Amino acid sequence: MRRENEQGRKIVIPSASIAVVGAGAFGTALAISLASNGQPTLLWGRDAAQMGAMAKARQNAQRLAGLRFPETLEVTADITKIPLKAVILLAVPTQALRATLIQHRHILHSHMLIACCKGVERGSGLLPLEVIADVLPSVRSAILTGPSFANDIAAGLPTALTLATKDVDAKTLQTLLSTPALRLYLSDDPIGAQLGGALKNVVAIAAGIAIGAGLGDSARAALMTRGFAEMVRFAVLRGAARDTLFGLSGFGDLVLTCTSTQSRNLRYGTAIGTGQTVSETATVEGVMTAHAIIESLLTNENDATDLPITRMVSAVLKEELNMAQAIESLLSRPLRRETDLA
């Protein structure tokens, strides 16, 4: 790739060894972080006008204004520019993942795919890597997840994430995607890592509802704790290792999402709790995840999983419960031993 820098000097950038598919805030942040480490990186987005504006301004003014693109970052709306041997990070919303894979399977089928989205696909109940396997069964894949905000990553602030895969080249991937500020920890439990990232968003909405309804920080702490128990119980049922949920992709992400106003899910829940009309334009993955999980349980007669917080969130968002009924549904639950995790 050739282009001019700000002084008009022609520069030549090597072919990217990493491509990020999805030019939202998180995808752009990952691309900036990797390219800032000297790693040739390509950022693809479907909107040609937007990508053209980003290439010209050398920043994502809509999502990460003021955070300049490194010279080693190429921006394009032409997905055929992804080099043959590039590792691809899929930074698209979970609910849009299947459509992206289907539309661009002619490019994506020959690459290592790293899912960078959190949630459960509504309708199928599948996790991101399961969606990838469903559409592209022969593709190698991994999940990159954990406590992180796009602004922090793009600004070069210290961030630690989980890279979970059963792929034999996991160590190579860890080295390729790590930077001095972005530290990746390996896991061989992709199911647990994905469920931690999905379920914590639902708990964050519940925590936001509690704050918005004026129940206080003590109630938020209780919801976080019982919500974590719910996360562990459901993840183990789905085949995850219990210890995975106590790591970055579970407990770590839960703490960040439930306590920071940067969290879209927390803000969404807070708005619901205060009775505001929600006008969130960014993706709020916890909404579809709550519905997807409860709907999948309803269609599985053999699954007696007790998920009171997830059920409450889904019911409130569907307006099947009002705020008073939702609070009563949790406070009237039977008293039991804490270690029952129920």
Side-chain angles (χ1 to χ4, degrees):
M1 178 186 70
R2 292 176 180 269
R3 64 173 177 82
E4 292 185 355
N5 64 7
E6 293 178 350
Q7 288 73 44
R9 179 174 57 88
K10 295 288 185 180
I11 58 174
V12 178
I13 297 176
S15 295
S17 56
I18 298 173
V20 179
V21 169
F26 196 70
T28 302
L30 286 172
I32 290 173
S33 176
L34 293 165
S36 295
N37 195 41
Q39 182 69 60
T41 305
L42 183 143
L43 176 63
W44 174 87
R46 63 181 180 178
D47 187 324
Q50 178 191 7
M51 300 310 290
M54 287 169 57
K56 182 178 180 180
R58 299 303 295 166
Q59 64 174 307
N60 186 337
Q62 291 183 2
R63 298 293 189 184
L64 296 170
L67 293 171
R68 303 283 296 175
F69 292 168
E71 289 188 347
T72 47
L73 177 58
E74 179 180 1
V75 180
T76 184
D78 182 359
I79 201 166
T80 64
K81 286 190 174 183
I82 295 178
L84 291 177
K85 295 183 179 181
V87 171
I88 297 178
L89 280 65
L90 297 170
V92 298
T94 297
Q95 306 308 322
L97 178 60
R98 182 179 295 273
T100 301
L101 294 170
I102 292 173
Q103 182 178 1
H104 302 294
R105 70 167 79 219
H106 62 294
I107 298 293
L108 302 178
H109 78 280
S110 60
H111 294 267
M112 176 75 191
L113 302 181
I114 314 293
C116 304
C117 46
K118 301 171 183 178
V120 179
E121 186 183 49
R122 195 169 185 184
S124 70
L126 297 179
L127 296 166
L129 295 190
E130 294 171 333
V131 174
I132 292 174
D134 192 38
V135 179
L136 300 170
S138 63
V139 164
R140 298 159 56 207
S141 64
I143 185 79
L144 183 64
T145 184
S148 54
F149 290 134
N151 278 285
D152 293 347
I153 292 176
L157 299 177
T159 304
L161 298 175
T162 296
L163 179 65
T165 181
K166 293 185 178 296
D167 194 275
V168 293
D169 292 330
K171 186 67 178 177
T172 300
L173 287 173
Q174 181 187 35
T175 301
L176 177 68
L177 301 176
S178 293
T179 75
L182 187 63
R183 186 176 180 86
L184 305 190
Y185 288 83
L186 285 181
S187 169
D188 60 0
D189 180 19
I191 294 293
Q194 290 175 96
L195 284 171
L199 295 168
K200 60 88 183 180
N201 284 331
V202 180
V203 180
I205 292 176
I209 289 173
I211 293 298
L215 300 184
D217 287 330
S218 296
R220 169 164 49 182
L223 273 168
M224 289 174 62
T225 305
R226 301 315 302 160
F228 183 63
E230 194 167 299
M231 290 168 57
V232 173
R233 184 169 61 253
F234 184 73
V236 170
L237 180 73
R238 284 288 305 269
R242 177 186 170 94
D243 287 350
T244 302
L245 277 294
F246 288 83
L248 291 165
S249 60
F251 180 73
D253 212 354
L254 176 71
V255 171
L256 182 69
T257 311
C258 289
T259 60
S260 173
T261 55
Q262 288 192 65
S263 165
R264 297 188 301 268
N265 291 278
L266 181 68
R267 292 199 309 268
Y268 187 92
T270 302
I272 295 293
T274 56
Q276 298 177 29
T277 299
V278 179
S279 58
E280 185 76 58
T281 57
T283 301
V284 182
E285 288 285 13
V287 174
M288 290 298 180
T289 296
H291 297 330
I293 290 174
I294 297 306
E295 289 163 4
S296 69
L297 294 180
L298 293 175
T299 59
N300 187 347
E301 296 179 356
N302 296 321
D303 195 338
T305 304
D306 186 19
L307 302 175
I309 295 174
T310 305
R311 290 184 188 279
M312 180 274 288
V313 169
S314 180
V316 168
L317 296 179
K318 289 181 178 179
E319 298 185 345
E320 296 172 352
L321 291 178
N322 60 35
M323 204 56 54
Q325 291 169 330
I327 295 169
E328 174 64 20
S329 72
L330 295 179
L331 295 181
S332 62
R333 287 181 53 76
L335 299 173
R336 61 187 69 197
R337 290 177 59 85
E338 183 176 22
T339 51
D340 290 340
L341 289 181

